[in-house]
Amino acid sequence: MVRKVMKQYFKDLDGEKPCGIYSMVVNCVEKPMLEVVMNHAQGNQTRAAELLGINRNTLRKKLQEHGIE
Protein backbone atom coordinates (compact mmCIF):
# COMPACT_ATOMS: atom_id res chain seq x y z
CA MET A 1 0.00 0.00 0.00
CA VAL A 2 2.84 2.40 0.82
CA ARG A 3 4.46 1.80 -2.56
CA LYS A 4 1.17 2.46 -4.33
CA VAL A 5 0.52 5.69 -2.44
CA MET A 6 4.07 6.95 -2.92
CA LYS A 7 3.94 6.28 -6.67
CA GLN A 8 0.66 8.19 -6.85
CA TYR A 9 2.16 11.02 -4.79
CA PHE A 10 4.97 11.46 -7.34
CA LYS A 11 2.49 11.32 -10.22
CA ASP A 12 0.31 13.95 -8.54
CA LEU A 13 3.27 16.30 -8.14
CA ASP A 14 3.09 16.83 -11.90
CA GLY A 15 6.64 18.11 -12.18
CA GLU A 16 6.75 19.97 -8.86
CA LYS A 17 9.80 19.31 -6.69
CA PRO A 18 9.04 17.15 -3.63
CA CYS A 19 10.52 17.92 -0.22
CA GLY A 20 10.16 16.62 3.31
CA ILE A 21 8.91 13.23 2.15
CA TYR A 22 10.21 11.34 5.18
CA SER A 23 8.43 13.60 7.68
CA MET A 24 5.27 13.59 5.59
CA VAL A 25 5.08 9.79 5.51
CA VAL A 26 5.96 9.34 9.18
CA ASN A 27 3.31 11.89 10.20
CA CYS A 28 0.68 10.18 8.05
CA VAL A 29 1.44 6.69 9.36
CA GLU A 30 2.43 7.26 12.98
CA LYS A 31 -0.86 8.57 14.42
CA PRO A 32 -3.15 5.83 13.10
CA MET A 33 -0.56 3.20 14.02
CA LEU A 34 -0.41 4.50 17.59
CA GLU A 35 -4.20 4.60 17.81
CA VAL A 36 -4.55 1.00 16.65
CA VAL A 37 -1.78 -0.27 18.94
CA MET A 38 -3.19 1.61 21.95
CA ASN A 39 -6.61 0.16 21.22
CA HIS A 40 -5.14 -3.34 20.92
CA ALA A 41 -3.30 -2.84 24.22
CA GLN A 42 -6.58 -1.61 25.77
CA GLY A 43 -4.95 1.70 26.69
CA ASN A 44 -2.04 0.09 28.52
CA GLN A 45 0.95 2.22 27.56
CA THR A 46 3.51 -0.23 28.90
CA ARG A 47 2.07 -3.04 26.77
CA ALA A 48 1.73 -0.76 23.73
CA ALA A 49 5.37 0.33 24.06
CA GLU A 50 6.42 -3.33 24.22
CA LEU A 51 4.40 -4.12 21.09
CA LEU A 52 5.99 -1.20 19.26
CA GLY A 53 9.48 -1.98 20.51
CA ILE A 54 9.97 1.49 21.96
CA ASN A 55 10.48 2.96 25.41
CA ARG A 56 7.32 3.87 27.34
CA ASN A 57 8.49 7.47 27.70
CA THR A 58 8.97 7.69 23.94
CA LEU A 59 5.44 6.35 23.47
CA ARG A 60 4.04 8.91 25.91
CA LYS A 61 5.80 11.71 24.02
CA LYS A 62 4.45 10.51 20.68
CA LEU A 63 0.92 10.18 22.09
CA GLN A 64 1.09 13.76 23.33
CA GLU A 65 2.47 15.00 20.00
CA HIS A 66 -0.50 13.45 18.20
CA GLY A 67 -3.11 14.41 20.80
CA ILE A 68 -3.91 10.80 21.65
CA GLU A 69 -5.04 10.03 25.18
Side-chain angles (χ1 to χ4, degrees), residues 32-43 47-49 51-52:
M33 176 187 64
L34 292 171
E35 290 170 337
V36 169
V37 171
M38 285 300 296
N39 186 47
H40 181 77
Q42 298 176 334
R47 178 69 182 128
L51 292 169
L52 291 164

Side-chain angles (χ1 to χ4, degrees), residues 2-63:
V2 174
R3 285 183 186 91
K4 180 180 176 181
V5 171
M6 290 303 302
K7 286 178 183 179
Q8 187 62 48
Y9 170 75
F10 284 116
K11 275 185 184 179
D12 292 345
L13 285 174
D14 195 33
E16 292 293 320
K17 184 180 176 184
C19 66
I21 295 171
Y22 180 81
S23 294
M24 176 189 71
V25 172
V26 169
N27 287 329
C28 288
V29 172
E30 191 170 53
K31 183 176 181 179
M33 176 187 64
L34 292 171
E35 290 170 337
V36 169
V37 171
M38 285 300 296
N39 186 47
H40 181 77
Q42 298 176 334
N44 184 317
Q45 291 182 3
T46 300
R47 178 69 182 128
E50 289 172 358
L51 292 169
L52 291 164
I54 62 175
N55 181 287
R56 184 173 172 271
N57 289 333
T58 301
L59 174 61
R60 289 176 53 90
K61 179 182 170 189
K62 290 183 177 295
L63 292 173

